[in-house]
Amino acid sequence: MTARLPISALLLGLAAFVSGLSFNIPTSPPSNSSAQLSAAPVGISLEFFAFPEYIQDVPSTLACLQNMKDLTGTWPPMRIGGTTQDRATYNASSAEAVTYTVASTADAPESLTYGPSFISLAATYAGEVIIGLNRRLDNISNTISAALFAKGRVDNLYSIELGNEPNFYVASDPIAQGEPWTAAADEASQVTWQEAVCGNLSTSDLISAGVYFGTSPMSIVGLTAKEGSANDYVKDYCSHNYPQSSGTYNLAALMGHSEIATQIEPYAAEISAAAAKGKPHIFGETNSATDGGGGISPTFGAGLWILDYVMQTLLLGTDALYFHQGTIGNCQYCWWGRYDMGSPYYGAYFATMALANADQIAPLDSQDTPYAAYAIYKSGTPVRALLYNSDYYTATNGTRTSQTYTLSGLYSSSVTAKRLTALYATSRVDQGENPTVAGQTFANGTCAIEGTESVETVIVSAGKATFTLAASEALLVYI
Ligand SMILES: *[C@@H]1O[C@H](CO)[C@@H](O)[C@H](O)[C@H]1NC(C)=O
Ligand SMILES: *[C@@H]1O[C@H](CO)[C@@H](O)[C@H](O)[C@H]1NC(C)=O
Ligand SMILES: *[C@@H]1O[C@H](CO)[C@@H](O)[C@H](O)[C@H]1NC(C)=O
Ligand SMILES: *[C@@H]1O[C@H](CO)[C@@H](O)[C@H](O)[C@H]1NC(C)=O
Ligand SMILES: *[C@@H]1O[C@H](CO)[C@@H](O)[C@H](O)[C@H]1NC(C)=O
Ligand SMILES: *[C@@H]1O[C@H](CO)[C@@H](O)[C@H](O)[C@H]1NC(C)=O
């Protein structure tokens, strides 16, 4: 016993020394840097039927978005859409924003109507909005009347979707007119609807096209090959991505740095296909897991996933991501609810901090280990470094391991850093394990920033400084 302790202590020390990471921060953006970043790449998607309630009855919605706007100067972009956009019919004479009935408040409506005030409410948001309109019900004149009103009324309109996740349409949906709903059928339908909607609106550059869940059997690669001159009507090409679904829920895999790289890889071709058509790509709806989230979605680890997933998809070339917020009170991955905050918001806020007013980001690591490092550039100069230790740490692990990162290429005598942490990757706000950003939390019900900010200072010696990140932690270094 007495002999084992020093040996294991020695081995531990040795292991820590050997596995310490070193990254040089290039003085200008390296060749694998991102393209120019948009002003607010981290946005939200609000489920269509719940949009008025989110804005009018859930104070955290605008407060949480304002927290992010305060970091960047730009309101996060918002998409209004989802499954219920394809169940919705526009009623130009309705005074109500939205009309539906549900058996339980946990349910989404099977059918709904919405009126002009729904669209006017979208016009009150201070950021850009995407409005998702119906294609599934095959009522093109109805969709055109809503699009006409939106185009005239919503100065902040970024784009309009014509249908949500049409890869899930089936032969019994009205749009299919009794025929099998194939990729070819959808591509032809998208082009026809783009032409009719934009023709009636006398406009171009309006449609968020594709709106596919995943990349198969329908894809942006396939759609762009059929667009022809209708590409002029397209504002952006849009993918939806949920890395996990029932049967595969695994938080360690969700938040793992190299696993994220593998998971998003199929989207590289989608982004390239959009770029080849001269259009941006967006993840117009995304979040951690479908089908209720299997307990992994409300966790801090899902927040760490957001952080690294945002960086990696921006590096792939996407323009913005819209994280979906579903039925109020029945939404595992939501960033906030009526009463409690969600742990994932901490990751979204930290990602926004990292990217605030930046022009480019660059990966310093090769994305094949659990340990991420990014340099963040403004006007060609490194301004921040983002470090992420994606080792999965929970209450059952025992001692929390850590990783050391030595950064070189630093030019000031000391740097400051802000830490994103929580007790465990599994920590949930509703279970009392609040994550922190630089020591601060977001208040339940209001999203107000609470607590005293704690900023770490690290001395730079010969252009180098060393940082320690526990398993399941991230650090933003201001250089
Ligand atoms: C549209 O709204 C008007 C005014 O509320 C209502 O009378 C009418 O029944 C609605 N139409 C449909 C199809 O819901
Ligand atoms: C299509 O929408 C129009 C209103 O824009 C409505 O009058 C008509 O009943 C709708 N058709 C169907 C089949 O629902
Ligand atoms: C307007 O939309 C209708 C479908 O409702 C379509 O048949 C017509 O071609 C469109 N008009 C223009 C100018 O594109
Ligand atoms: C990016 O380039 C740097 C060298 O500048 C390299 O060390 C790193 O592995 C690369 N990462 C990726 C993901 O391409
Ligand atoms: C925590 O335990 C899990 C399950 O055994 C393991 O996969 C993971 O690597 C451990 N994490 C750390 C940081 O040791
Ligand atoms: C939010 O409420 C939960 C209880 O639902 C509580 O455990 C948690 O500590 C609260 N968070 C903050 C930041 O007050």
Side-chain angles (χ1 to χ4, degrees):
M1 276 309 283
T2 46
R4 279 183 61 194
L5 273 173
I7 290 169
S8 57
L10 177 70
L11 287 174
L12 260 178
L14 196 63
F17 176 76
V18 169
S19 66
L21 304 168
S22 296
F23 296 104
N24 183 58
I25 299 185
T27 53
S28 60
S31 59
N32 58 6
S33 296
S34 70
Q36 172 67 46
L37 300 170
S38 58
V42 183
I44 62 159
S45 165
L46 297 177
E47 180 59 43
F48 192 89
F49 85 96
F51 158 68
E53 196 178 0
Y54 265 113
I55 299 296
Q56 295 174 325
D57 300 330
V58 180
S60 288
T61 302
L62 290 175
C64 282
L65 293 170
Q66 167 126 32
N67 287 340
M68 294 163 72
K69 181 256 176 188
D70 288 347
L71 296 170
T72 64
T74 303
W75 285 85
M78 178 186 290
R79 176 256 190 168
I80 301 160
T83 308
T84 56
Q85 91 188 48
D86 262 333
R87 300 175 182 173
T89 298
Y90 181 58
N91 182 348
S93 50
S94 175
E96 303 297 324
V98 67
T99 304
Y100 61 85
T101 54
V102 285
S104 149
T105 56
D107 293 345
E110 290 300 323
S111 175
L112 63 151
T113 62
Y114 62 103
S117 62
F118 182 101
I119 292 169
S120 296
L121 187 62
T124 66
Y125 183 58
E128 288 182 333
V129 296
I130 299 173
I131 301 181
L133 301 180
N134 194 318
R135 184 159 51 104
R136 189 181 67 92
L137 293 177
D138 200 22
N139 192 337
I140 196 166
S141 63
N142 188 266
T143 290
I144 288 171
S145 55
L148 259 174
F149 186 69
K151 183 80 176 71
R153 182 75 184 77
V154 186
D155 291 341
N156 49 323
L157 186 67
Y158 179 75
S159 60
I160 283 175
E161 295 172 5
L162 301 173
N164 176 69
E165 299 176 358
N167 50 290
F168 293 132
Y169 291 176
V170 293
S172 58
D173 284 326
I175 188 73
Q177 300 184 353
E179 299 294 321
W181 191 254
T182 60
D186 183 67
E187 289 154 7
S189 168
Q190 292 221 19
V191 169
T192 301
W193 278 58
Q194 288 162 7
E195 288 170 344
V197 172
C198 292
N200 281 273
L201 271 60
S202 305
T203 194
S204 57
D205 290 302
L206 181 66
I207 307 300
S208 185
V211 199
Y212 296 128
F213 182 103
T215 59
S216 175
M218 298 183 194
S219 68
I220 292 168
V221 171
L223 177 61
T224 49
K226 304 284 183 63
E227 282 285 345
S229 57
N231 185 59
D232 290 349
Y233 300 128
V234 173
K235 179 68 170 270
D236 61 77
Y237 286 95
C238 171
S239 301
H240 290 183
N241 181 39
Y242 288 77
Q244 302 218 0
S245 53
S246 61
T248 68
Y249 296 132
N250 181 327
L251 183 55
L254 177 73
M255 63 182 264
H257 179 54
S258 59
E259 284 89 343
I260 292 171
T262 304
Q263 199 276 323
I264 66 176
E265 206 279 329
Y267 294 96
E270 302 287 82
I271 294 168
S272 297
K277 287 287 189 178
K279 303 293 177 178
H281 173 274
I282 61 170
F283 284 96
E285 183 186 317
T286 190
N287 220 320
S288 50
T290 59
D291 307 322
I296 69 171
S297 294
T299 65
F300 178 62
L304 292 170
W305 164 73
I306 290 170
L307 174 66
D308 199 46
Y309 170 65
V310 165
M311 303 307 148
Q312 292 203 42
T313 50
L314 292 176
L315 282 164
L316 269 193
T318 202
D319 204 53
L321 301 97
Y322 299 71
F323 288 86
H324 198 56
Q325 317 289 314
T327 305
I328 298 162
N330 182 21
C331 182
Q332 295 283 305
Y333 48 61
C334 277
W335 290 357
W336 57 82
R338 207 183 294 281
Y339 306 109
D340 275 4
M341 288 300 299
S343 291
Y345 179 71
Y346 286 79
Y349 184 82
F350 203 74
T352 304
M353 271 170 64
L355 295 168
N357 298 305
D359 290 317
Q360 286 173 282
I361 61 168
L364 302 178
D365 70 292
S366 47
Q367 297 175 341
D368 54 4
T369 78
Y371 314 113
Y374 303 92
I376 298 163
Y377 292 86
K378 183 173 170 56
S379 308
T381 301
V383 289
R384 293 183 284 273
L386 174 66
L387 310 178
Y388 171 40
N389 177 350
S390 75
D391 279 341
Y392 178 64
Y393 180 67
T394 75
T396 58
N397 279 99
T399 305
R400 193 170 190 169
T401 56
S402 61
Q403 181 59 268
T404 60
Y405 287 74
T406 298
L407 298 182
S408 58
L410 302 172
Y411 42 78
S412 48
S413 58
S414 69
V415 293
T416 58
K418 296 182 182 180
R419 193 171 295 265
L420 173 67
T421 192
L423 270 180
Y424 309 114
T426 47
S427 289
R428 295 169 55 149
V429 168
D430 62 348
Q431 296 176 355
E433 291 174 350
N434 301 294
T436 55
V437 170
Q440 296 181 301
T441 55
F442 300 96
N444 292 322
T446 65
C447 210
I449 299 172
E450 290 187 321
T452 306
E453 187 178 54
S454 116
V455 178
E456 303 168 29
T457 301
V458 178
I459 301 299
V460 175
S461 169
K464 293 185 183 179
T466 298
F467 307 87
T468 302
L469 275 78
S472 304
E473 264 191 355
L475 190 74
L476 184 60
V477 181
Y478 292 76
I479 58 187

